[in-house]
Structures are given as C-alpha cells and as structure tokens.
Amino acid sequence: MPGGARPARRVWRAAWPVDVRATWGVLRRGAGDPAWRVVAGALWRAMTTPAGPVTLRVTTRAAEATVLADAWGPGADWVLDRLPTMLGEGDVGAEGFVPCHDLVARALRLHPGWRVPRTGLVLESLVPAVIEQKVTGQEAFSGWRRVVQRFGEPAPGPGGALGVRVPPPPAVLAQIPSWEWLRAGVSPQRSATVVRVARVAARLEQLPELDLAAARRRLVSIPGVGVWTAAETAHRALGDPDAVSFGDYHVAANIGWALTGRPVDDQSLVELLRPYAGQRYRVQRLLELSGAVRPRRGPRMAPRRHLPTG
C-alpha cells in the first residue's frame, strides 16, 4: 500500500470497555519511543510485521466500547485482522480472575478495560527486552531509541510526517556493526544477543503458534535470553498472564511492598503469588497500573557508558 494511499480501516466493538493505552502501555519503550506517538487523543504506532511495515492509528469510543483503527503500509491487513487479539480478546483468565488481596481487587476495579495483550510480534518485544537487560531504565530506553532512529525507517502514510519510525527488521538488526551498537549505548554482550535473535527470527515468529510452555523453552534456548527476558517477551507478544518478570531489580520488591508492606526477593515472591498460579503477571501489571510502587530512597543509578575511552 503506497504511503499516501487511503488507509485500511476496522471498527471493532468489544465486549468490555477497552483501555488501549493501559493494555498497550507496556509496548511503549520510554517517553521518547520513536514508534509511539499520541496526537489529539489518537494513538499512533509503527510496527514491523511479517507482511511488512505498518502505521496504525487507534481511537476509542469509550461509551460504546468501540475501537476505530486505521492502518497504512504493507502490514495493514495483518494488523487489522489481529487487532482484537492484540488488545486482549481471548485473554486467558481475564473474566474469572479472583483477587486474594484487597489491593489487587481495587486495582482490578480501577482498570476494567485492561487486558493482557497478545501482539504476536515476538521480535518487537524481545529485542528491546534484550537491550534493557541489567541496565537502568534511562539507559535501556535511550539505547532502543537510538537504534530505531538510526536504523529504522519513516512509518508508512501520515505516520512518517509525524516523526513516527518503524523499528528495524531482523535482517537490518543482524547487520548493524559493533561500533554502532556501542554508539547507541548497547554493550557488546547485549548486542551479540540481539544479533543471535535476529538470525533466528523466522523460528521465533512461530512462537505464537506454540503452547506457552514450549514457547518459553524456545526463547530461553537462545544464549543471552534468560528467564526475565523471556517473561518480558511472553506477556507482551504471547499474551501469557503468568509471565512474571522474575529477576527484575524492582518487580519483586514492589509487589512485596504492595501486598505485605515490605520488599521481598524472587524466592519469596514465588510463595507470595502462589495463590495466583497461572495469573501471576496479571497481579504484577494491575499493581503497576495502580501505582503500587515502593518509595525510592537514595540516588538513582547513573547510566553507564559503553564507548571505549582513551
């Protein structure tokens, strides 16, 4: 579909009051994400799909539980066909979820339009997660932003004029030189993992066709992709409602503080979330959406530099 062509359109009436920004909020990689823009109440996203790049504009009619989506680019039909699933239709356990804590119950009441997304775009979630491994949020987001700005392309249709950029496809990621990764602030270990991931992109994009356990096993079979990275991918791309981000610097401490009044470690978090087996990520995200974050003390970690000195 040429950049200036009329968009493909879909109007979808949901069975719940869809909250697009809450559901897709985890897909945004920081305030400066080049693939994400909000203009006059409309959400604009650029994606790399199996059918090619796409610009998606989404608005909602909250009173009617209706989502209006326009799409430009070769991937337009691919995205519009999957829009309900991407926004959480078929979210396993959403309707029957029973909170065991008052704070979780309150968060559920406050966010009736949130669902676990299932984008089906594994690389879209996996590559930024690799870049975010073991670094500050500021460093992670800036690294991804620089990669998209340098190696992405203008989004199809009017998205390009808004400055929205499509993240680079696997073939481009696999060819980025080591010094460009360093210039973007991405360490050699993480960039090597991204390249490995890009080289097996075809196998990884088959993951939505597998059951969740098999998909997670395939993810962690890649050197450099651990439990945390797999979970960060699974609850975005695969719609896994149980994919808690174990190993995260903040997640265990925040959930522990919210539910018990004190931070906990991963081992204690397993026990704390045992009553929510199969739905543990749902608890994590609902608490995040409700702002249940422990108070921060002390200075923030300074971002590191990966450029050689001298």
Side-chain angles (χ1 to χ4, degrees), residues 20-165:
V20 174
R21 294 198 206 178
T23 299
W24 279 354
V26 292
L27 306 179
R28 187 185 190 189
R29 303 295 180 166
D33 187 345
W36 178 289
R37 187 70 56 87
V38 177
V39 180
L43 172 59
W44 294 76
R45 289 196 59 216
M47 291 167 274
T48 300
T49 77
V54 62
T55 296
L56 180 68
R57 179 181 64 196
V58 176
T59 59
T60 58
R61 295 174 183 160
E64 304 170 14
T66 300
V67 177
L68 297 86
D70 295 311
W72 295 260
D77 290 341
W78 191 96
V79 166
L80 294 180
D81 286 347
R82 292 161 178 79
L83 184 69
T85 300
M86 296 177 81
L87 284 169
E89 186 178 64
D91 175 11
V92 179
E95 300 306 322
F97 178 67
V98 179
C100 303
H101 297 84
D102 290 342
L103 191 60
V104 179
R106 179 175 179 272
L108 185 63
R109 290 194 301 270
L110 289 174
H111 300 282
W114 173 78
R115 295 291 186 274
V116 179
R118 189 174 188 269
T119 68
L121 297 172
V122 176
L123 271 289
E124 177 188 73
S125 294
L126 177 56
V127 172
V130 170
I131 292 175
E132 293 169 9
Q133 292 173 348
K134 299 180 181 179
V135 295
T136 65
Q138 177 187 356
E139 185 178 1
F141 295 148
S142 65
W144 176 242
R145 182 175 66 248
R146 290 167 182 160
V147 169
V148 176
Q149 289 174 336
R150 176 72 175 84
F151 297 99
E153 62 181 51
L162 292 173
V164 182
R165 295 186 69 80

Side-chain angles (χ1 to χ4, degrees), residues 101-307:
H101 297 84
D102 290 342
L103 191 60
V104 179
R106 179 175 179 272
L108 185 63
R109 290 194 301 270
L110 289 174
H111 300 282
W114 173 78
R115 295 291 186 274
V116 179
R118 189 174 188 269
T119 68
L121 297 172
V122 176
L123 271 289
E124 177 188 73
S125 294
L126 177 56
V127 172
V130 170
I131 292 175
E132 293 169 9
Q133 292 173 348
K134 299 180 181 179
V135 295
T136 65
Q138 177 187 356
E139 185 178 1
F141 295 148
S142 65
W144 176 242
R145 182 175 66 248
R146 290 167 182 160
V147 169
V148 176
Q149 289 174 336
R150 176 72 175 84
F151 297 99
E153 62 181 51
L162 292 173
V164 182
R165 295 186 69 80
V166 180
V172 173
L173 289 169
Q175 298 299 319
I176 297 176
S178 59
W179 62 86
E180 292 284 6
W181 287 110
L182 289 171
R183 186 174 295 172
V186 180
S187 65
Q189 181 180 7
R190 289 178 291 146
S191 64
T193 301
V194 172
V195 171
R196 279 194 293 271
V197 163
R199 288 174 177 168
V200 295
R203 290 189 68 240
L204 292 175
E205 293 299 358
Q206 297 170 359
L207 295 188
E209 303 170 10
L210 306 180
D211 66 71
L212 291 173
R216 294 282 287 277
R217 286 195 297 270
R218 184 173 294 187
L219 280 169
V220 298
S221 71
I222 303 171
V225 176
V227 172
W228 179 86
T229 306
E232 290 286 302
T233 303
H235 63 234
R236 291 172 168 90
L238 306 179
D240 188 343
D242 199 47
V244 176
S245 301
F246 289 112
D248 190 278
Y249 182 74
H250 299 293
V251 167
N254 285 339
I255 296 176
W257 180 85
L259 299 184
T260 71
R262 61 180 179 82
V264 300
D265 58 16
D266 276 353
Q267 184 175 354
S268 297
L269 182 62
V270 171
E271 294 303 317
L272 182 59
L273 294 181
R274 192 173 296 280
Y276 296 103
Q279 300 291 323
R280 295 176 298 175
Y281 172 68
R282 193 178 307 282
V283 176
Q284 174 187 328
R285 184 59 182 156
L286 282 170
L287 292 174
E288 290 170 352
L289 287 169
S290 67
V293 177
R294 77 194 192 286
R296 293 181 180 269
R297 296 181 176 87
R300 292 179 178 269
M301 293 175 61
R304 296 174 293 177
R305 293 176 57 84
H306 300 287
L307 292 172

